Amino acid sequence: MESIKSSKRPAIEKGKNDDSARSFKFKWRWEYFLIFLLVLEVGIFGSLNSRFFNPVVLMGSITDFMPICIISLFVTFVMITGGIDIQAGSIVGLTSISIGLLWSEAGVNIWLALLIGIGIGALCGLLSGTLIATTDVQPMVITLGGSFLFSGIAVGITSLSSVESYKGISGFPDHFMNLFRGTIGGISKQVILFLLLIVISYILLHKTQYGRKIFLIGVNRNTAEYSGIKSSSIIASTYVLSGIAAAIAGIVLTAYLGTAKADFGKELTLPIITAVVLGGTSNYGGKGNVLGTALASLVIGIMRFGLSMSGLNTQYLDIPVGMLLIAALILRSFIDGGLIAKTVKKVFKKNKEHFS
């Protein structure tokens, strides 16, 4: 009996060792590549211009592209359902000018104007989201129409007032402008807001039943409906969240710059979509990660700022962002298709045979 037990013990111990080895097996995540890309950017741009490493300059650069970071978090929700939102930039401008006009022309308290601005963003998202959820029209077509509609409304209400559109509205109270200016403990107030929104969006998408429904709808909407999920209301709600995020970005821009303008956000569409796709969200739906989007938005923001510091004309900053979007889609297709994994295995196998 003792010999039988002793003969079984090594096999059991070997099984345990195998299990522990498997448990410590490295698992590749797309976020690791984004972190590498971010560090690489900082190193390259810092070597090209030593001012890039200045904490004040670097923190100031981050605040310049914070609207992209904020909006992209919740556009992730939209794209996981299989949709797309290219109207967020127009909602930024509409929110900004609406707040300015409510405060300057209608005499509304600035804090009430902010709440109304957020409500406007939510209504814009609800309009497009409802149409997308209840019709067979492609989300890109509806949100493209929404982009033209909301930017047109922003320009229209500006022309009806005594404000000249190219000048915008300024002279806001100091307590409002200080809302997103300056730092707390050395960290920009906008960055603090961004971190807070990361936590909120992460919990909402990855830790709640609502988030699981979003993923299921993205994988297969029919299956989700057979499971008792009201897909129409969930899909519409993601566009509402995206609209609210765009409104918050409009408030941040207005307070930070001290000016309300109808054309705020017109250049944000491409960077936002790029951040979501680069962050690992599938353009077919069903797959995405808030943390990936957050990292990708920082990668894009640092790229734009670093290139401008290196002397590239701001008119051409969309070119590298577009190239990054195409490269990200190609790389993700290789990863999803298993091509990179197969190549790595072949390389390791050849090296193993060579050294053995």
Side-chain angles (χ1 to χ4, degrees), residues 258-318:
T259 305
K261 276 190 169 185
D263 60 353
F264 278 166
K266 64 179 182 180
E267 299 175 353
L268 298 182
T269 301
L270 177 60
I272 289 169
I273 300 301
T274 305
V276 178
V277 174
L278 182 62
T281 300
S282 171
N283 51 312
Y284 297 108
K287 184 179 181 182
N289 191 315
V290 164
L291 297 180
T293 298
L295 287 169
S297 63
L298 292 175
V299 167
I300 292 169
I302 293 294
M303 173 186 284
R304 291 171 66 90
F305 177 71
L307 289 172
S308 64
M309 281 193 71
S310 301
L312 182 68
N313 193 310
T314 54
Q315 294 179 343
Y316 305 121
L317 290 179
D318 281 342

Side-chain angles (χ1 to χ4, degrees), residues 7-254:
S7 63
K8 287 183 177 180
R9 191 177 297 118
I12 294 171
E13 289 176 354
K14 184 179 179 182
K16 288 182 178 178
N17 291 333
D18 290 342
D19 291 339
S20 61
R22 290 192 196 99
S23 64
F24 285 106
K25 187 177 180 181
F26 177 77
K27 186 179 180 181
W28 170 256
R29 291 178 62 91
W30 179 253
E31 289 80 8
Y32 299 152
F33 170 73
L34 295 175
I35 293 172
F36 167 75
L37 200 58
L38 190 60
V39 173
L40 184 65
E41 282 184 346
V42 173
I44 292 173
F45 293 130
S47 63
L48 293 175
N49 191 331
S50 59
R51 289 184 63 248
F52 190 84
F53 288 125
N54 188 321
V56 177
V57 175
L58 190 58
M59 190 59 68
S61 72
I62 293 175
T63 57
D64 287 340
F65 57 79
M66 200 48 60
I68 296 171
C69 300
I70 292 171
I71 299 171
S72 61
L73 290 176
F74 292 94
V75 172
T76 302
F77 288 51
V78 171
M79 292 190 68
I80 289 174
T81 65
I84 192 169
D85 189 353
I86 56 177
Q87 66 186 16
S90 298
I91 296 175
V92 171
L94 178 59
T95 302
S96 177
I97 197 64
S98 297
I99 291 170
L101 290 173
L102 285 168
W103 174 75
S104 65
E105 300 284 316
V108 176
N109 179 276
I110 189 64
W111 304 116
L112 179 58
L114 297 187
L115 291 176
I116 295 174
I118 292 174
I120 289 172
L123 285 174
C124 291
L126 180 62
L127 174 62
S128 297
T130 302
L131 291 174
I132 291 167
T134 57
T135 66
D136 293 329
V137 183
Q138 290 292 325
M140 179 176 285
V141 175
I142 290 179
T143 54
L144 178 63
S147 177
F148 288 120
L149 173 64
F150 303 141
S151 60
I153 292 174
V155 174
I157 61 176
T158 306
S159 62
L160 292 175
S161 67
S162 59
V163 178
E164 296 181 17
S165 59
Y166 71 93
K167 288 183 178 180
I169 299 170
S170 56
F172 289 102
D174 290 338
H175 56 271
F176 167 64
M177 291 190 292
N178 291 331
L179 192 61
F180 295 109
R181 289 181 179 179
T183 61
I184 297 176
I187 303 175
S188 167
K189 292 178 181 178
Q190 294 187 34
V191 174
I192 293 173
L193 173 65
F194 178 49
L195 294 174
L196 178 62
L197 290 175
I198 289 175
V199 173
I200 292 172
S201 58
Y202 180 84
I203 293 172
L204 198 59
L205 184 61
H206 300 288
K207 299 296 181 181
T208 65
Q209 194 175 27
Y210 170 72
R212 288 191 288 273
K213 290 177 181 178
I214 289 176
F215 279 102
L216 184 56
I217 290 170
V219 172
N220 193 313
R221 184 175 176 179
N222 290 330
T223 302
E225 289 181 347
Y226 287 138
S227 302
I229 296 173
K230 296 180 179 179
S231 61
S232 297
S233 59
I234 298 293
I235 290 172
S237 70
T238 61
Y239 288 89
V240 172
L241 289 174
S242 178
I244 291 173
I248 292 172
I251 292 170
V252 170
L253 270 176
T254 304

